[in-house]
Amino acid sequence: MSEQNPIPSFHVDRVHDTDNELITRVLDLQAEVAGVVRMREWVRDALAVREGDTALDIGSGTGSEVLALARLVGGTGRAVGVDPNPAMLALARERAREFTEAPVDFIEGSAYALPLPDADIDVIRCERVYQHLDDPAQATAEIARVLRPGGRVALIDSDWSTAITHPGDPELIERLHQQMQSASPNRTSGRRLRGLLHSAGLVIDDIGSEALVWEPESIMPMYTAGTERVVAAGLLTEAQREQLLGEMSRGIERGDYHFSVTMFAVVAHKP
Ligand SMILES: C[S@@+](CC[C@H](N)C(=O)[O-])C[C@H]1O[C@@H](n2cnc3c(N)ncnc32)[C@H](O)[C@@H]1O
C-alpha cells in the first residue's frame, strides 16, 4: 500500500497494489456486523436458492457467501465466486479447501466480462461491489447475459450519502465523508441498483435495506487514515483534524457515538 493512499482500494485497477491483509481484516469484521448478517440472510431467502442450482457471487472477496450458497445448492448444484483480485481468490480457495458439501469454484475475472457462458446461472448475488465499478451498466448487462430465463439476482450496495458520523462538527464531518469516498467511482450506488436492473431488462421483485453500523475498533483506523488525506488535500487543517478525532474519541469514551452507512438490496429475475 503506498504512503499517498493509505486507504485500501477495492478498485479493479488496484488489485495488485492494495493492502490485502487489511482488506481481509475489514471484510471479516464486516461479515460479523449484525446488519450485514441480516441482509445476507434476507437476500438468500429472497433469492430462493434451491438444491441443484448453479449460484454465482460476483466480487466474492473472502468467499464466505460462496460457501453459504454452496450449502444451499448441495452436491447436485455448483457455487462459483468471481473476483479480479488473485490474493482474495487464493484466500477464498484456502478457506474452501476442506469444504465438501458442494462443488465450489473461484474464478479470476471481472464483472465487466464474466468468464461464464450465456444463460448458465440460476442465482446471482453481488454485494458491495458496484460502488467500485466505473461501468455498472456493463456489469448489469453481463448479469443479464449469464442468467438463465427465470434466474434470480440480488445486487447489494451502500449509498454513501447516507453515511453518519457522530459526534463531531457537522461541516468537518462532511468534508471527511467527501474525501474518504472520493476514491469510489460510484458512491451513490445504492440508489441506482433498481434502475440498472430495470434497464438491463430484468424484472424487480423486492427491495430491502439494512445499515452497516461500525464499532470504533473497525472504523477509527479508517478515520485516522482518512483525516490524514483530508489534511493533505487541504480540506482540513491539522488543528481541525485533531479537533474532529478528539470529538469522536471523547464520544466513544462516554458511549455516545454512531458510525454507519445504509445498504440497499434489490432482487430481480430474468423474464
Ligand atoms: C468491498 S469488497 C466486497 C466483497 C464481498 N462481496 C463481501 O461483501 O464481503 C469488493 C470486492 O469487489 C471486487 N471487485 C472490484 N472490482 C471488481 C470487478 N470489476 N469485478 C468483480 N469484482 C470486483 C474486489 O476485488 C473485492 O473482492
Short mmCIF file of all heavy atoms in Angstrom, two decimals, residues 3-59:
data_model
loop_
_atom_site.label_atom_id
_atom_site.label_comp_id
_atom_site.label_asym_id
_atom_site.label_seq_id
_atom_site.Cartn_x
_atom_site.Cartn_y
_atom_site.Cartn_z
N GLU A 3 2.23 5.16 0.46
CA GLU A 3 2.01 6.14 1.53
C GLU A 3 1.00 7.20 1.12
O GLU A 3 0.31 7.76 1.95
CB GLU A 3 3.33 6.80 1.88
CG GLU A 3 4.09 6.01 2.92
CD GLU A 3 5.44 6.62 3.19
OE1 GLU A 3 5.52 7.85 3.20
OE2 GLU A 3 6.39 5.84 3.36
N GLN A 4 0.93 7.49 -0.20
CA GLN A 4 0.00 8.53 -0.66
C GLN A 4 -1.45 8.08 -0.53
O GLN A 4 -2.35 8.88 -0.54
CB GLN A 4 0.24 8.86 -2.13
CG GLN A 4 1.54 9.60 -2.41
CD GLN A 4 2.74 8.69 -2.35
OE1 GLN A 4 2.60 7.47 -2.46
NE2 GLN A 4 3.90 9.25 -2.12
N ASN A 5 -1.67 6.77 -0.45
CA ASN A 5 -3.05 6.29 -0.49
C ASN A 5 -3.26 5.25 0.62
O ASN A 5 -3.32 4.06 0.37
CB ASN A 5 -3.34 5.67 -1.86
CG ASN A 5 -4.82 5.71 -2.15
OD1 ASN A 5 -5.60 5.87 -1.22
ND2 ASN A 5 -5.18 5.56 -3.40
N PRO A 6 -3.34 5.71 1.88
CA PRO A 6 -3.36 4.77 3.00
C PRO A 6 -4.66 3.99 3.13
O PRO A 6 -4.73 3.04 3.87
CB PRO A 6 -3.14 5.67 4.21
CG PRO A 6 -3.61 7.02 3.79
CD PRO A 6 -3.42 7.10 2.32
N ILE A 7 -5.73 4.39 2.40
CA ILE A 7 -6.98 3.63 2.49
C ILE A 7 -6.95 2.54 1.43
O ILE A 7 -6.71 2.82 0.25
CB ILE A 7 -8.19 4.56 2.29
CG1 ILE A 7 -8.24 5.54 3.47
CG2 ILE A 7 -9.48 3.77 2.22
CD1 ILE A 7 -9.36 6.51 3.43
N PRO A 8 -7.13 1.25 1.81
CA PRO A 8 -7.04 0.19 0.81
C PRO A 8 -8.14 0.34 -0.22
O PRO A 8 -9.24 0.78 0.09
CB PRO A 8 -7.23 -1.08 1.64
CG PRO A 8 -7.97 -0.65 2.85
CD PRO A 8 -7.55 0.76 3.12
N SER A 9 -7.83 -0.05 -1.46
CA SER A 9 -8.81 0.12 -2.53
C SER A 9 -9.30 -1.23 -3.01
O SER A 9 -8.54 -2.20 -3.08
CB SER A 9 -8.17 0.86 -3.70
OG SER A 9 -9.07 0.89 -4.78
N PHE A 10 -10.58 -1.28 -3.39
CA PHE A 10 -11.16 -2.48 -3.98
C PHE A 10 -11.30 -2.32 -5.49
O PHE A 10 -11.89 -3.16 -6.14
CB PHE A 10 -12.55 -2.74 -3.37
CG PHE A 10 -12.51 -3.21 -1.95
CD1 PHE A 10 -12.86 -2.36 -0.91
CD2 PHE A 10 -12.15 -4.52 -1.64
CE1 PHE A 10 -12.85 -2.80 0.41
CE2 PHE A 10 -12.14 -4.96 -0.33
CZ PHE A 10 -12.48 -4.10 0.70
N HIS A 11 -10.78 -1.22 -6.04
CA HIS A 11 -10.96 -0.98 -7.48
C HIS A 11 -10.18 -2.01 -8.29
O HIS A 11 -9.06 -2.39 -7.93
CB HIS A 11 -10.50 0.44 -7.82
CG HIS A 11 -10.94 0.88 -9.19
ND1 HIS A 11 -10.26 0.52 -10.33
CD2 HIS A 11 -12.00 1.62 -9.60
CE1 HIS A 11 -10.88 1.03 -11.38
NE2 HIS A 11 -11.95 1.69 -10.96
N VAL A 12 -10.78 -2.43 -9.41
CA VAL A 12 -10.17 -3.48 -10.24
C VAL A 12 -8.77 -3.09 -10.72
O VAL A 12 -7.90 -3.95 -10.87
CB VAL A 12 -11.12 -3.83 -11.42
CG1 VAL A 12 -11.28 -2.66 -12.37
CG2 VAL A 12 -10.66 -5.07 -12.17
N ASP A 13 -8.51 -1.80 -10.91
CA ASP A 13 -7.18 -1.37 -11.37
C ASP A 13 -6.14 -1.39 -10.25
O ASP A 13 -4.97 -1.17 -10.51
CB ASP A 13 -7.23 0.07 -11.93
CG ASP A 13 -8.06 0.14 -13.19
OD1 ASP A 13 -8.32 -0.93 -13.79
OD2 ASP A 13 -8.47 1.26 -13.57
N ARG A 14 -6.58 -1.62 -9.00
CA ARG A 14 -5.63 -1.56 -7.88
C ARG A 14 -5.40 -2.92 -7.23
O ARG A 14 -4.80 -3.00 -6.15
CB ARG A 14 -6.18 -0.59 -6.80
CG ARG A 14 -6.29 0.87 -7.22
CD ARG A 14 -5.03 1.67 -6.92
NE ARG A 14 -4.43 1.38 -5.62
CZ ARG A 14 -4.82 1.91 -4.47
NH1 ARG A 14 -5.81 2.77 -4.42
NH2 ARG A 14 -4.19 1.61 -3.35
N VAL A 15 -5.88 -4.02 -7.88
CA VAL A 15 -5.82 -5.31 -7.19
C VAL A 15 -4.39 -5.77 -6.89
O VAL A 15 -4.17 -6.56 -5.97
CB VAL A 15 -6.59 -6.44 -7.93
CG1 VAL A 15 -8.07 -6.20 -7.95
CG2 VAL A 15 -6.05 -6.63 -9.34
N HIS A 16 -3.41 -5.28 -7.67
CA HIS A 16 -2.02 -5.69 -7.40
C HIS A 16 -1.31 -4.67 -6.52
O HIS A 16 -0.12 -4.78 -6.28
CB HIS A 16 -1.26 -5.88 -8.72
CG HIS A 16 -1.84 -7.01 -9.53
ND1 HIS A 16 -1.69 -8.34 -9.18
CD2 HIS A 16 -2.61 -7.01 -10.65
CE1 HIS A 16 -2.33 -9.10 -10.06
NE2 HIS A 16 -2.90 -8.32 -10.96
N ASP A 17 -2.02 -3.65 -6.06
CA ASP A 17 -1.40 -2.53 -5.36
C ASP A 17 -2.27 -2.12 -4.18
O ASP A 17 -2.57 -0.95 -3.99
CB ASP A 17 -1.24 -1.38 -6.38
CG ASP A 17 -0.94 -0.06 -5.71
OD1 ASP A 17 -0.19 -0.06 -4.74
OD2 ASP A 17 -1.50 0.97 -6.15
N THR A 18 -2.75 -3.09 -3.42
CA THR A 18 -3.59 -2.73 -2.29
C THR A 18 -3.17 -3.58 -1.09
O THR A 18 -2.41 -4.54 -1.24
CB THR A 18 -5.08 -2.90 -2.65
OG1 THR A 18 -5.87 -2.25 -1.63
CG2 THR A 18 -5.51 -4.35 -2.77
N ASP A 19 -3.64 -3.22 0.09
CA ASP A 19 -3.24 -3.92 1.31
C ASP A 19 -4.22 -5.06 1.56
O ASP A 19 -5.24 -4.89 2.23
CB ASP A 19 -3.24 -2.90 2.46
CG ASP A 19 -2.69 -3.51 3.74
OD1 ASP A 19 -2.71 -4.75 3.87
OD2 ASP A 19 -2.27 -2.73 4.61
N ASN A 20 -3.89 -6.25 1.03
CA ASN A 20 -4.84 -7.37 1.10
C ASN A 20 -5.08 -7.87 2.52
O ASN A 20 -6.16 -8.35 2.84
CB ASN A 20 -4.39 -8.50 0.18
CG ASN A 20 -4.63 -8.16 -1.27
OD1 ASN A 20 -5.75 -7.83 -1.65
ND2 ASN A 20 -3.58 -8.16 -2.08
N GLU A 21 -4.03 -7.73 3.38
CA GLU A 21 -4.23 -8.16 4.78
C GLU A 21 -5.28 -7.28 5.46
O GLU A 21 -6.17 -7.77 6.15
CB GLU A 21 -2.92 -8.02 5.54
CG GLU A 21 -2.27 -9.37 5.78
CD GLU A 21 -0.95 -9.20 6.48
OE1 GLU A 21 -0.94 -8.59 7.57
OE2 GLU A 21 0.06 -9.67 5.93
N LEU A 22 -5.16 -5.97 5.22
CA LEU A 22 -6.12 -5.04 5.81
C LEU A 22 -7.52 -5.28 5.23
O LEU A 22 -8.52 -5.32 5.97
CB LEU A 22 -5.66 -3.59 5.57
CG LEU A 22 -6.56 -2.49 6.15
CD1 LEU A 22 -6.77 -2.68 7.64
CD2 LEU A 22 -5.95 -1.11 5.88
N ILE A 23 -7.59 -5.48 3.92
CA ILE A 23 -8.88 -5.74 3.27
C ILE A 23 -9.54 -6.98 3.88
O ILE A 23 -10.73 -6.98 4.19
CB ILE A 23 -8.67 -5.94 1.75
CG1 ILE A 23 -8.50 -4.60 1.06
CG2 ILE A 23 -9.84 -6.69 1.14
CD1 ILE A 23 -8.24 -4.72 -0.43
N THR A 24 -8.74 -8.03 4.07
CA THR A 24 -9.29 -9.27 4.63
C THR A 24 -9.82 -9.02 6.04
O THR A 24 -10.91 -9.46 6.40
CB THR A 24 -8.19 -10.36 4.66
OG1 THR A 24 -7.72 -10.54 3.33
CG2 THR A 24 -8.72 -11.67 5.20
N ARG A 25 -9.04 -8.26 6.83
CA ARG A 25 -9.48 -7.97 8.21
C ARG A 25 -10.79 -7.19 8.20
O ARG A 25 -11.73 -7.51 8.93
CB ARG A 25 -8.38 -7.16 8.90
CG ARG A 25 -8.12 -7.66 10.28
CD ARG A 25 -6.86 -7.19 10.96
NE ARG A 25 -6.47 -5.82 10.79
CZ ARG A 25 -5.32 -5.43 10.21
NH1 ARG A 25 -4.50 -6.32 9.72
NH2 ARG A 25 -5.01 -4.16 10.12
N VAL A 26 -10.86 -6.20 7.32
CA VAL A 26 -12.08 -5.36 7.24
C VAL A 26 -13.27 -6.22 6.81
O VAL A 26 -14.35 -6.16 7.41
CB VAL A 26 -11.86 -4.18 6.27
CG1 VAL A 26 -13.16 -3.48 5.96
CG2 VAL A 26 -10.86 -3.18 6.85
N LEU A 27 -13.08 -7.05 5.77
CA LEU A 27 -14.21 -7.87 5.28
C LEU A 27 -14.65 -8.88 6.34
O LEU A 27 -15.85 -9.12 6.51
CB LEU A 27 -13.83 -8.59 3.98
CG LEU A 27 -13.64 -7.68 2.75
CD1 LEU A 27 -13.26 -8.51 1.53
CD2 LEU A 27 -14.88 -6.85 2.46
N ASP A 28 -13.67 -9.47 7.06
CA ASP A 28 -14.05 -10.43 8.11
C ASP A 28 -14.81 -9.74 9.24
O ASP A 28 -15.80 -10.28 9.76
CB ASP A 28 -12.80 -11.12 8.67
CG ASP A 28 -12.26 -12.20 7.73
OD1 ASP A 28 -13.00 -12.62 6.80
OD2 ASP A 28 -11.11 -12.63 7.92
N LEU A 29 -14.37 -8.52 9.61
CA LEU A 29 -15.09 -7.77 10.65
C LEU A 29 -16.50 -7.42 10.18
O LEU A 29 -17.49 -7.57 10.91
CB LEU A 29 -14.35 -6.47 10.99
CG LEU A 29 -13.19 -6.58 11.97
CD1 LEU A 29 -12.43 -5.26 12.03
CD2 LEU A 29 -13.69 -6.95 13.37
N GLN A 30 -16.60 -6.98 8.91
CA GLN A 30 -17.91 -6.58 8.38
C GLN A 30 -18.85 -7.78 8.31
O GLN A 30 -20.06 -7.63 8.50
CB GLN A 30 -17.75 -5.94 7.01
CG GLN A 30 -17.12 -4.56 7.12
CD GLN A 30 -16.91 -3.90 5.77
OE1 GLN A 30 -17.01 -4.54 4.74
NE2 GLN A 30 -16.60 -2.61 5.79
N ALA A 31 -18.30 -8.96 8.02
CA ALA A 31 -19.15 -10.16 7.91
C ALA A 31 -19.83 -10.49 9.23
O ALA A 31 -20.82 -11.22 9.26
CB ALA A 31 -18.32 -11.35 7.43
N GLU A 32 -19.30 -9.93 10.34
CA GLU A 32 -19.90 -10.20 11.65
C GLU A 32 -20.86 -9.09 12.10
O GLU A 32 -21.53 -9.24 13.12
CB GLU A 32 -18.80 -10.35 12.70
CG GLU A 32 -18.03 -11.64 12.50
CD GLU A 32 -16.87 -11.78 13.44
OE1 GLU A 32 -16.74 -10.97 14.37
OE2 GLU A 32 -16.08 -12.71 13.22
N VAL A 33 -20.91 -8.00 11.35
CA VAL A 33 -21.81 -6.90 11.73
C VAL A 33 -23.25 -7.39 11.57
O VAL A 33 -23.61 -8.00 10.56
CB VAL A 33 -21.54 -5.67 10.82
CG1 VAL A 33 -22.61 -4.62 11.00
CG2 VAL A 33 -20.15 -5.10 11.12
N ALA A 34 -24.07 -7.10 12.60
CA ALA A 34 -25.44 -7.65 12.61
C ALA A 34 -26.22 -7.29 11.35
O ALA A 34 -26.93 -8.13 10.79
CB ALA A 34 -26.16 -7.17 13.87
N GLY A 35 -26.08 -6.05 10.88
CA GLY A 35 -26.82 -5.61 9.69
C GLY A 35 -26.41 -6.39 8.45
O GLY A 35 -27.24 -6.70 7.59
N VAL A 36 -25.12 -6.72 8.36
CA VAL A 36 -24.63 -7.49 7.20
C VAL A 36 -25.16 -8.92 7.29
O VAL A 36 -25.63 -9.49 6.30
CB VAL A 36 -23.09 -7.45 7.13
CG1 VAL A 36 -22.57 -8.40 6.06
CG2 VAL A 36 -22.61 -6.03 6.88
N VAL A 37 -25.12 -9.50 8.50
CA VAL A 37 -25.62 -10.87 8.69
C VAL A 37 -27.10 -10.93 8.30
O VAL A 37 -27.53 -11.81 7.55
CB VAL A 37 -25.42 -11.32 10.16
CG1 VAL A 37 -26.10 -12.65 10.42
CG2 VAL A 37 -23.94 -11.39 10.49
N ARG A 38 -27.88 -9.94 8.78
CA ARG A 38 -29.32 -9.94 8.48
C ARG A 38 -29.57 -9.74 6.99
O ARG A 38 -30.43 -10.40 6.39
CB ARG A 38 -30.03 -8.82 9.26
CG ARG A 38 -30.28 -9.15 10.72
CD ARG A 38 -31.26 -8.15 11.34
NE ARG A 38 -30.72 -6.81 11.39
CZ ARG A 38 -30.07 -6.30 12.44
NH1 ARG A 38 -29.90 -7.02 13.52
NH2 ARG A 38 -29.60 -5.06 12.41
N MET A 39 -28.82 -8.82 6.39
CA MET A 39 -29.00 -8.55 4.96
C MET A 39 -28.70 -9.80 4.13
O MET A 39 -29.43 -10.14 3.20
CB MET A 39 -28.08 -7.40 4.56
CG MET A 39 -28.19 -6.98 3.12
SD MET A 39 -29.79 -6.25 2.76
CE MET A 39 -29.31 -4.58 2.41
N ARG A 40 -27.63 -10.50 4.48
CA ARG A 40 -27.25 -11.70 3.73
C ARG A 40 -28.31 -12.79 3.86
O ARG A 40 -28.64 -13.46 2.88
CB ARG A 40 -25.87 -12.19 4.19
CG ARG A 40 -24.78 -11.25 3.75
CD ARG A 40 -23.41 -11.68 4.22
NE ARG A 40 -22.39 -10.85 3.59
CZ ARG A 40 -21.09 -10.98 3.79
NH1 ARG A 40 -20.63 -11.92 4.59
NH2 ARG A 40 -20.24 -10.19 3.16
N GLU A 41 -28.84 -12.94 5.07
CA GLU A 41 -29.90 -13.96 5.26
C GLU A 41 -31.12 -13.61 4.43
O GLU A 41 -31.71 -14.45 3.77
CB GLU A 41 -30.28 -14.05 6.75
CG GLU A 41 -29.28 -14.88 7.54
CD GLU A 41 -29.58 -14.84 9.05
OE1 GLU A 41 -30.65 -14.32 9.44
OE2 GLU A 41 -28.71 -15.30 9.79
N TRP A 42 -31.50 -12.32 4.50
CA TRP A 42 -32.68 -11.86 3.76
C TRP A 42 -32.49 -12.11 2.27
O TRP A 42 -33.39 -12.59 1.58
CB TRP A 42 -32.92 -10.37 4.05
CG TRP A 42 -34.12 -9.83 3.34
CD1 TRP A 42 -35.41 -9.94 3.74
CD2 TRP A 42 -34.13 -9.14 2.09
NE1 TRP A 42 -36.23 -9.36 2.80
CE2 TRP A 42 -35.47 -8.86 1.79
CE3 TRP A 42 -33.13 -8.74 1.21
CZ2 TRP A 42 -35.86 -8.18 0.63
CZ3 TRP A 42 -33.50 -8.07 0.05
CH2 TRP A 42 -34.86 -7.79 -0.22
N VAL A 43 -31.30 -11.80 1.77
CA VAL A 43 -31.03 -11.97 0.33
C VAL A 43 -31.08 -13.44 -0.06
O VAL A 43 -31.67 -13.80 -1.09
CB VAL A 43 -29.66 -11.33 -0.03
CG1 VAL A 43 -29.14 -11.84 -1.37
CG2 VAL A 43 -29.78 -9.81 -0.05
N ARG A 44 -30.51 -14.31 0.77
CA ARG A 44 -30.55 -15.75 0.43
C ARG A 44 -32.00 -16.24 0.37
O ARG A 44 -32.37 -16.99 -0.52
CB ARG A 44 -29.73 -16.57 1.44
CG ARG A 44 -28.24 -16.42 1.26
CD ARG A 44 -27.47 -17.49 2.01
NE ARG A 44 -27.60 -17.38 3.45
CZ ARG A 44 -26.77 -16.68 4.24
NH1 ARG A 44 -25.74 -16.04 3.73
NH2 ARG A 44 -26.95 -16.61 5.54
N ASP A 45 -32.83 -15.77 1.33
CA ASP A 45 -34.25 -16.15 1.31
C ASP A 45 -34.95 -15.59 0.08
O ASP A 45 -35.70 -16.28 -0.60
CB ASP A 45 -34.97 -15.61 2.56
CG ASP A 45 -34.64 -16.45 3.78
OD1 ASP A 45 -33.99 -17.51 3.61
OD2 ASP A 45 -35.00 -16.03 4.89
N ALA A 46 -34.69 -14.29 -0.20
CA ALA A 46 -35.37 -13.63 -1.32
C ALA A 46 -34.97 -14.27 -2.65
O ALA A 46 -35.77 -14.31 -3.59
CB ALA A 46 -35.05 -12.14 -1.32
N LEU A 47 -33.75 -14.78 -2.74
CA LEU A 47 -33.30 -15.42 -3.98
C LEU A 47 -33.83 -16.85 -4.12
O LEU A 47 -33.74 -17.44 -5.20
CB LEU A 47 -31.76 -15.46 -4.03
CG LEU A 47 -31.07 -14.14 -4.37
CD1 LEU A 47 -29.56 -14.28 -4.20
CD2 LEU A 47 -31.40 -13.71 -5.80
N ALA A 48 -34.39 -17.38 -3.02
CA ALA A 48 -34.95 -18.75 -3.03
C ALA A 48 -33.97 -19.73 -3.68
O ALA A 48 -34.31 -20.44 -4.62
CB ALA A 48 -36.30 -18.77 -3.76
N VAL A 49 -32.75 -19.75 -3.15
CA VAL A 49 -31.72 -20.66 -3.69
C VAL A 49 -32.16 -22.10 -3.44
O VAL A 49 -32.57 -22.45 -2.33
CB VAL A 49 -30.36 -20.40 -3.00
CG1 VAL A 49 -29.27 -21.23 -3.66
CG2 VAL A 49 -30.01 -18.91 -3.03
N ARG A 50 -32.11 -22.92 -4.50
CA ARG A 50 -32.63 -24.29 -4.40
C ARG A 50 -31.51 -25.32 -4.60
O ARG A 50 -30.50 -25.02 -5.26
CB ARG A 50 -33.68 -24.52 -5.49
CG ARG A 50 -34.95 -23.72 -5.28
CD ARG A 50 -35.99 -24.09 -6.30
NE ARG A 50 -35.76 -23.42 -7.57
CZ ARG A 50 -36.48 -22.39 -8.03
NH1 ARG A 50 -37.47 -21.89 -7.32
NH2 ARG A 50 -36.20 -21.84 -9.19
N GLU A 51 -31.74 -26.51 -4.07
CA GLU A 51 -30.81 -27.61 -4.32
C GLU A 51 -30.66 -27.82 -5.81
O GLU A 51 -31.66 -27.78 -6.55
CB GLU A 51 -31.37 -28.89 -3.69
CG GLU A 51 -30.51 -29.38 -2.53
CD GLU A 51 -31.04 -30.68 -1.98
OE1 GLU A 51 -30.70 -31.74 -2.53
OE2 GLU A 51 -31.81 -30.58 -1.01
N GLY A 52 -29.45 -28.03 -6.27
CA GLY A 52 -29.21 -28.27 -7.69
C GLY A 52 -28.95 -27.00 -8.49
O GLY A 52 -28.53 -27.09 -9.65
N ASP A 53 -29.18 -25.82 -7.88
CA ASP A 53 -28.93 -24.56 -8.60
C ASP A 53 -27.44 -24.36 -8.86
O ASP A 53 -26.58 -24.83 -8.09
CB ASP A 53 -29.41 -23.35 -7.76
CG ASP A 53 -30.90 -23.06 -7.93
OD1 ASP A 53 -31.53 -23.67 -8.81
OD2 ASP A 53 -31.42 -22.23 -7.16
N THR A 54 -27.15 -23.59 -9.91
CA THR A 54 -25.80 -23.03 -10.09
C THR A 54 -25.87 -21.60 -9.60
O THR A 54 -26.67 -20.80 -10.11
CB THR A 54 -25.37 -23.08 -11.57
OG1 THR A 54 -25.35 -24.44 -11.97
CG2 THR A 54 -23.99 -22.48 -11.76
N ALA A 55 -25.05 -21.27 -8.60
CA ALA A 55 -25.13 -19.97 -7.93
C ALA A 55 -23.79 -19.24 -8.07
O ALA A 55 -22.73 -19.85 -7.97
CB ALA A 55 -25.46 -20.15 -6.46
N LEU A 56 -23.88 -17.94 -8.29
CA LEU A 56 -22.67 -17.13 -8.55
C LEU A 56 -22.63 -15.94 -7.61
O LEU A 56 -23.63 -15.24 -7.44
CB LEU A 56 -22.73 -16.64 -10.01
CG LEU A 56 -21.73 -15.55 -10.43
CD1 LEU A 56 -20.30 -16.07 -10.40
CD2 LEU A 56 -22.08 -15.04 -11.83
N ASP A 57 -21.44 -15.69 -7.02
CA ASP A 57 -21.21 -14.47 -6.25
C ASP A 57 -20.16 -13.65 -7.00
O ASP A 57 -19.02 -14.10 -7.15
CB ASP A 57 -20.73 -14.81 -4.83
CG ASP A 57 -20.65 -13.59 -3.92
OD1 ASP A 57 -21.29 -12.56 -4.25
OD2 ASP A 57 -19.96 -13.67 -2.89
N ILE A 58 -20.55 -12.46 -7.46
CA ILE A 58 -19.63 -11.60 -8.23
C ILE A 58 -18.92 -10.65 -7.27
O ILE A 58 -19.57 -9.96 -6.49
CB ILE A 58 -20.41 -10.80 -9.30
CG1 ILE A 58 -21.15 -11.74 -10.24
CG2 ILE A 58 -19.46 -9.89 -10.07
CD1 ILE A 58 -22.11 -11.03 -11.20
N GLY A 59 -17.59 -10.64 -7.32
CA GLY A 59 -16.81 -9.85 -6.35
C GLY A 59 -16.83 -10.58 -5.02
O GLY A 59 -17.19 -10.03 -3.99
#
